[in-house]
């Protein structure tokens, strides 16, 4: 019997671009019970040399930001990683053989010192103690896959809308993104306490045009801490990490950002919930949008196509396996969560779980969340007996002004460039319009031409984030 009906608050923290093996492959010894790393896994390079999985000991910046440079994460890159071929033939079987070859091929596009062992690297529990301790105290799933073998934006669209609407990569951008969202369902159902999206610098979820009249429900992360402390969290909270260097370094764990900063964010979220009055009514889900090119040994299976007429790729297969941990006092300590059938968990399992807990949200958004297993099987304790530690502490890491300056001077990565494009194309106004009229207006506007970011902003992160702040300020004033 599940305790799902005892959960009133669902909190999702979605981080960036790490595979299951990269973060949790050594959580427990490999067994039939836990599909982690044995240590014998390897990939061949173009010359036929085998590169095994490995760990770089220590906690220095170079180790904790591995892999550096950033791996490839385009649709074609991920095909190469999964199949050993950028354009696999119909019916090809995934063999997870192309990670090293694809990583080394990035040097032709982005010159840098690419080390083939870096893409096969994994962290030990001592290096990532927060996510490891929470996974052991509560539940980790070794059967959670990215929703699609694609970049960040398509996978984040799946967690909000159960589809990527046929888009395989972040760019080129296809504004406006008009897919119906789970948030719209929550609003239409009049669900008590509704929802909020908490963010640090810019929320990628603001790409979704159907949320344009809900800007008051986009709140800075500091308000999450306050809401958790006061017991005023909504029914559904979605948390986005810091993507850019500004006054601090990014905490999204996107390679080559320092993983420890993401650990600190996880600890902040857990500690706020654990010491808040609604802890025994809360389920916290921590996962990652996609694997970002980092090695994983488990081949992704086929998936239910969400339905995207006219798309070149039908999204009928999952992306690479990603970390996922579930945290609640109703979860038995040391759980390794697997679905009840052959269909694995993916990002739309969150939507399926919300719909199961709140039937007033209605039926599936797409065929993908219709087929997705929900997460109720994790909540098997009759009472909230697994309260967890009162507090969990991340390893110390304090960015120096020199660290921030160096990161701010770097060129934006692919995700940051896409967010810059989002900022340049934020809606200019909608006051007084109904949603249908607004969307028609936006579609007509973008059919003429989408806006481009002013020249030079892609030169460095500092220029990008300054422009984003200006655009966000104007948006919240105008709507």
């Amino acid at each position: 019997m599940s305790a799902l009906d005892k959960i009133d608050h669902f909190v999702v923290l979605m981080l960036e671009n790490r595979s299951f093996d990269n973060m949790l492959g050594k959580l427990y010894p490999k067994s039939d019970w836990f599909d982690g790393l044995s240590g014998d896994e390897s990939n061949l390079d173009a010359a036929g040399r085998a590169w095994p999985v490995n760990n770089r000991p220590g906690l220095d910046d170079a180790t904790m930001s591995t892999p550096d440079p950033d791996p490839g994460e385009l649709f074609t890159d991920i095909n190469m990683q999964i199949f050993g071929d950028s354009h696999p033939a119909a019916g090809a079987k995934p063999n997870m053989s192309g990670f090293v070859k694809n990583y080394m091929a990035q040097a032709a596009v982005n010159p840098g010192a690419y080390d083939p062992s870096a893409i096969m690297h994994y962290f030990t529990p001592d290096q990532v103690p927060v996510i490891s301790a929470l996974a052991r105290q509560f539940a980790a799933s070794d059967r959670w896959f990215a929703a699609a073998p694609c970049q960040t934006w398509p996978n984040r669209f799946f967690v909000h809308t159960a589809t990527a609407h046929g888009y395989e990569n972040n760019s080129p951008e296809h504004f406006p993104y008009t897919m119906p969202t789970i948030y719209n369902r929550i609003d239409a159902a009049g669900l008590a306490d509704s929802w909020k999206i908490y963010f640090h610098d810019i929320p990628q979820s603001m790409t979704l045009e159907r949320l344009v009249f809900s800007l008051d429900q986009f709140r800075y992360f500091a308000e999450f801490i306050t809401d958790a402390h006061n017991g005023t969290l909504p029914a559904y909270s979605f948390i986005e990490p810091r993507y850019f260097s500004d006054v601090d370094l990014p905490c999204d764990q996107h390679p080559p950002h320092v993983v420890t900063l993401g650990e600190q964010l996880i600890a902040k979220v857990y500690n706020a919930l654990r010491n808040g009055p609604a802890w025994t009514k809360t389920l916290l889900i921590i996962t990652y949008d996609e694997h970002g090119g980092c090695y994983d040994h488990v081949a992704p299976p086929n998936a239910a196509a969400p339905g995207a007429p006219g798309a070149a790729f039908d999204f009928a297969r999952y992306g690479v396996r990603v970390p996922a941990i579930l945290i609640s006092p109703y979860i038995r300590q040391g759980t390794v969560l697997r679905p009840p059938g052959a269909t694995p968990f993916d990002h739309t399992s969150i939507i399926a779980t919300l719909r199961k807990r709140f039937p007033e949200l209605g039926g599936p958004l797409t065929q993908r969340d219709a087929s997705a297993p929900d997460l109720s099987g994790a909540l098997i304790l009759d009472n909230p007996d697994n309260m967890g530690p009162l507090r969990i502490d991340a390893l110390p890491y304090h960015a120096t002004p020199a660290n921030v300056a160096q990161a701010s001077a770097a060129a934006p990565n692919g995700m940051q460039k896409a967010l810059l494009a989002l900022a340049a194309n934020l809606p200019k106004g909608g006051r007084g319009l109904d949603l249908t009229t607004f969307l028609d207006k936006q579609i007509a506007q973008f059919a003429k031409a989408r806006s481009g970011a002013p020249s030079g902003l892609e030169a460095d992160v500092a220029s990008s984030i300054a422009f984003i702040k200006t655009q966000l300020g104007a948006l919240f004033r105008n709507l």
Side-chain angles (χ1 to χ4, degrees):
M1 187 72 178
S2 173
L4 182 64
D5 62 350
K6 299 177 182 179
I7 301 298
D8 293 335
H9 305 282
F10 294 80
V11 179
V12 174
L13 168 60
M14 181 168 271
L15 296 162
E16 284 275 301
N17 291 33
R18 295 284 173 176
S19 71
F20 182 89
D21 279 346
N22 180 250
M23 296 296 292
L24 296 175
K26 287 292 187 177
L27 182 69
Y28 301 111
K30 184 178 177 67
S31 66
D32 292 341
W33 172 73
F34 178 76
D35 199 353
L37 289 168
S38 68
D40 296 330
E41 299 84 359
S42 65
N43 262 199
L44 300 179
D45 63 19
R49 177 182 174 184
W51 292 88
V53 292
N54 65 91
N55 169 254
R56 300 178 177 186
L59 300 171
D60 57 281
D61 283 10
T63 297
M64 300 307 291
S65 59
T66 305
D68 183 9
D70 188 16
E73 53 182 292
L74 298 175
F75 179 64
T76 50
D77 291 318
I78 297 172
N79 279 340
M80 170 61 80
Q81 293 156 15
I82 293 174
F83 294 98
D85 189 334
S86 297
H87 299 88
K93 301 296 184 183
N95 56 19
M96 314 308 278
S97 67
F99 286 84
V100 168
K101 292 176 183 175
N102 183 257
Y103 189 56
M104 300 311 292
Q106 300 305 308
V109 181
N110 299 302
Y114 287 82
D115 175 357
S117 69
I119 205 63
M120 305 297 291
H121 174 261
Y122 60 82
F123 293 103
T124 64
D126 287 343
Q127 292 171 317
V128 286
V130 174
I131 193 172
S132 300
L134 292 175
R136 289 170 172 167
Q137 180 69 40
F138 299 100
S141 177
D142 61 355
R143 287 292 182 270
W144 188 302
F145 291 81
C150 300
Q151 270 189 300
T152 287
W153 280 29
N155 276 293
R156 285 183 175 264
F157 289 149
F158 265 98
V159 78
H160 302 308
T161 73
T163 182
H165 207 60
Y167 304 128
E168 299 166 356
N169 295 308
N170 299 350
S171 301
E173 298 79 24
H174 297 274
F175 303 111
Y177 294 96
T178 61
M179 303 87 85
T181 76
I182 189 62
Y183 308 101
N184 299 121
R185 288 286 188 90
I186 293 172
D187 287 338
L191 193 64
D193 300 324
S194 192
W195 59 271
K196 287 183 183 178
I197 293 174
Y198 300 93
F199 67 99
H200 287 72
D201 41 22
I202 180 170
Q204 186 277 338
S205 46
M206 202 172 276
T207 51
L208 299 166
E209 294 281 344
R210 290 179 183 269
L211 302 183
V212 73
F213 295 127
S214 303
L215 291 181
D216 60 334
Q217 288 162 273
F218 286 83
R219 314 300 293 185
Y220 281 105
F221 177 72
E223 188 166 315
F224 169 80
I225 301 298
T226 300
D227 288 346
H229 176 77
N230 293 336
T232 54
L233 285 171
Y236 183 43
S237 302
F238 188 85
I239 301 172
E240 300 203 37
R242 183 184 304 105
Y243 300 115
F244 287 84
S245 296
D246 189 12
V247 296
D248 205 346
L249 294 175
C251 58
D252 58 1
Q253 297 191 332
H254 189 300
H257 299 158
V258 176
V259 165
T260 304
L261 289 163
E263 284 265 292
Q264 292 178 354
L265 175 58
I266 295 171
K268 287 177 186 176
V269 171
Y270 171 79
N271 292 339
L273 294 172
R274 175 62 181 85
N275 292 281
W279 174 233
T280 58
K281 301 177 181 180
T282 299
L283 173 62
L284 169 61
I285 303 164
I286 300 171
T287 190
Y288 293 67
D289 49 34
E290 47 122 342
H291 75 297
C294 299
Y295 175 76
D296 194 84
H297 77 279
V298 177
N302 292 331
F313 174 56
D314 63 3
F315 290 81
R317 53 186 170 90
Y318 296 103
V320 174
R321 199 172 55 148
V322 293
I325 63 172
L326 283 71
I327 300 166
S328 168
Y330 288 98
I331 295 174
R332 180 177 293 156
Q333 184 175 0
T335 296
V336 176
L337 183 67
R338 292 180 175 174
T343 303
F345 298 116
D346 81 327
H347 302 334
T348 65
S349 291
I350 295 169
I351 295 176
T353 305
L354 290 170
R355 290 194 298 100
K356 184 171 184 176
R357 172 62 180 87
F358 305 113
E360 59 267 40
L361 298 182
L365 274 70
T366 72
Q367 289 301 310
R368 178 62 71 82
D369 68 302
S371 69
D374 66 72
L375 303 170
S376 59
L379 303 162
I380 63 172
L381 298 181
D382 293 332
N383 298 299
D385 295 329
N386 182 12
M387 293 294 285
L390 274 171
R391 179 179 177 84
I392 193 163
D393 291 313
L395 294 170
Y397 185 90
H398 301 287
T400 66
N403 294 145
V404 176
Q406 182 179 11
S408 297
N413 62 32
M415 169 63 162
Q416 292 167 337
K417 288 178 181 177
L419 290 172
L420 181 60
L422 164 61
N425 289 277
L426 289 170
K428 302 299 189 293
R431 189 181 298 278
L433 299 178
D434 63 89
L435 181 58
T436 300
T437 302
F438 173 78
L439 291 177
D440 287 344
K441 178 181 176 183
Q442 290 292 91
I443 291 169
Q445 174 185 326
F446 286 118
K448 297 177 182 177
R450 67 179 181 87
S451 301
S455 178
L457 292 188
E458 289 189 2
D460 57 72
V461 167
S463 299
S464 299
I465 192 61
F467 176 73
I468 286 169
K469 287 180 176 180
T470 299
Q471 293 293 95
L472 279 180
L475 174 65
F476 281 96
R477 284 194 302 271
N478 292 335
L479 290 177

